[in-house]
Amino acid sequence: MLPPYTKPHLSFADQLALLVQRGLVVTDPARAILHLQRIGYGRLTPYWQPFQQLVPDPNDATRTVRTEQFRPGAEFRHAVDLYLFDKQLRLLFLDAIERIEVALRVDLAHAMGKRDPFAHRSTAFLDARRANQAMPGGGTRHQNWLTKADGAIARSKDDWIKEFYATYSPPVPIWMAVEAWDFGTLSWLLEMAHPNDRAAIAKRYGLLPNTLVSWIKTLAFVRNISAHHARLWNAGIINQPLVPKPFETSQLVHIGSDLHRRTRVYGAAVVASYFVGRINPGTSWPTRMKDHWQAFPAMPFASPVQGGFLPGWDAEAIWA
C-alpha cells in the first residue's frame, strides 16, 4: 500500500484513519487533523518511524526492516512532540552556525587576503595538492569550487555587489567575495587553503588543521539539514567530526569513546558548542542546547540516546 501522501485524493481524515488502522493511537482526532493540514503527512513521517514495528529482513536474517504497523502504545501526539523538538533543535544549530560562518569568513579573508587580493582564484596561493585534485565529474576541485563561488556572486542581489561592478572590473577580492558564499562554499575553500593559512586559522581555535576542517564540514552538513527543515534529532551525520587530541581540547575527547556520539547529532552539538565558546566566551548557547536536550519530550520508543546523547552526557565539561 502506498503511503497516503502519494494519494492526493485522500482527505486528511482518511490519512488519519489509515494511521489508526495501522495501530497509531490518536487521542484527539480533530487536533491531529489540524497537524496533518499544517505540517503534512510526508513531513511527519520521519517522526513516527521510531514507533513502527521492525521485522526480520526476508533477504538478510542479520537485518530488520520497518513495517507500516505501529508498536503497541505508539501515539500520534508523540510524533508531533518530536517534530516540535526537532524544529527548535534546528533553530539552535542555525543560531550557532551563523556565528561560526561569519567568523570563518573573517578568518579566510584575513589569512588569504595577506597573500593576494584574489588568492582564492589561483592554485598558486592554495594547497596545490588538494586544489588540483581531479574530480569524478571532470575538472579539478578548485575549478569546480570556483564555478560555484562565482555563481554565488553573480546571483547576489546585495547592493555592495552592484556598487563594486559600477566602479571596478571583476573579479571581486577575497574580503568581499566571502560575504556572498554559503557555509559549504567556505568549508571547501578552507580545505583547499594554503597549509600555512589553514594552520593559522586552526591556531585561533586551538585546533590542528585537519581537526578544524573536519569540524567545519560536520557543521556544514548539519547546516544543510537545518536549512532544508529536514529531520535532525536522530539523523546520521555523514561528515563525522574527528576526535581531537587531548592537547587540542580535552573537553571533546569523549566523543571518541562511542561511535554513536559522532555518527549522530551529539558530535555536531559539542563541536558547535566549542566553536561558539571560542568566538564568544560569554555565550549562553551551550546552556540552551543542554536545556533543550534535558527537556526531551517523554514518550516510548524515542529518547536522547538515539541522537547520540548517551547517559551522563550532560556531566561532560563542554556543557558546564
Side-chain angles (χ1 to χ4, degrees):
M1 180 182 292
L2 292 174
Y5 60 87
T6 65
K7 301 180 179 181
H9 65 278
L10 285 178
S11 68
F12 294 111
D14 286 341
Q15 291 177 8
L16 189 63
L18 280 176
L19 292 171
V20 172
Q21 179 184 335
R22 294 169 185 160
L24 189 63
V25 175
V26 179
T27 55
D28 188 340
R31 189 173 182 84
I33 288 175
L34 286 176
H35 285 308
L36 286 172
Q37 290 174 335
R38 288 198 297 257
I39 302 171
Y41 187 104
R43 187 166 293 279
L44 280 173
T45 295
Y47 297 99
W48 60 57
Q49 283 180 345
F51 312 153
Q52 292 176 314
Q53 295 180 12
L54 300 176
V55 298
D57 186 338
N59 300 315
D60 184 350
T62 66
R63 303 182 61 180
T64 58
V65 293
R66 183 179 292 109
T67 72
E68 292 185 340
Q69 294 299 121
F70 290 94
R71 302 183 191 184
E75 297 189 36
F76 184 93
R77 64 187 178 94
H78 291 149
V80 175
D81 287 343
L82 271 181
Y83 170 81
L84 295 175
F85 174 87
D86 201 40
K87 178 180 179 179
Q88 183 59 36
L89 177 65
R90 293 193 300 269
L91 291 173
L92 278 169
F93 265 108
L94 288 174
D95 178 31
I97 291 172
E98 178 188 3
R99 307 183 203 189
I100 298 164
E101 178 179 331
V102 170
L104 183 59
R105 288 175 178 174
V106 175
D107 294 333
L108 287 167
H110 183 71
M112 298 180 67
K114 289 190 293 185
R115 292 187 179 277
D116 188 88
F118 310 104
H120 60 292
R121 305 194 67 83
S122 172
T123 57
F125 301 109
L126 302 174
D127 184 328
R129 180 181 63 83
R130 293 184 176 183
N132 292 321
Q133 179 183 356
M135 302 303 287
T140 66
R141 175 181 290 189
H142 179 253
Q143 288 169 342
N144 290 351
W145 173 86
L146 193 58
T147 297
K148 181 180 180 181
D150 284 347
I153 294 172
R155 291 189 302 272
S156 176
K157 305 299 183 183
D158 289 337
D159 289 341
W160 66 264
I161 291 283
K162 300 176 184 176
E163 293 170 0
F164 177 87
Y165 285 134
T167 308
Y168 305 100
S169 299
V172 176
I174 180 68
W175 51 82
M176 298 182 71
V178 291
E179 297 300 327
W181 298 335
D182 61 23
F183 200 47
T185 305
L186 293 168
S187 70
W188 278 35
L189 181 57
L190 175 66
E191 191 172 12
M192 292 187 299
H194 191 283
N196 291 346
D197 293 339
R198 211 160 50 239
I201 296 171
K203 185 177 180 181
R204 178 190 171 191
Y205 299 101
L207 301 174
L208 294 173
N210 284 347
T211 304
L212 172 68
V213 170
S214 167
W215 289 7
I216 291 296
K217 290 173 71 175
T218 295
L219 294 180
F221 180 79
V222 170
R223 185 261 178 203
N224 286 341
I225 292 179
S226 300
H228 290 90
H229 319 300
R231 174 181 52 87
L232 179 60
W233 77 275
N234 67 341
I237 304 300
I238 295 176
N239 296 326
Q240 299 156 22
L242 282 178
V243 180
K245 306 295 184 185
F247 64 80
E248 292 179 89
T249 169
S250 60
Q251 293 180 324
L252 268 69
V253 172
H254 71 281
I255 65 173
S257 65
D258 192 301
L259 185 61
H260 201 58
R261 295 183 190 268
R262 303 195 306 284
T263 58
R264 290 296 182 267
V265 73
Y266 180 81
V270 294
V271 163
S273 183
Y274 178 83
F275 276 125
V276 173
R278 296 284 298 202
I279 295 166
N280 179 13
T283 182
S284 65
W285 192 89
T287 300
R288 288 185 283 128
M289 178 62 80
K290 178 180 178 180
D291 290 346
H292 186 60
W293 279 93
Q294 287 179 328
F296 190 91
M299 66 184 71
F301 317 125
S303 74
V305 171
Q306 290 158 296
F309 287 72
L310 307 183
W313 69 267
D314 49 356
E316 297 291 345
I318 189 66
W319 303 112

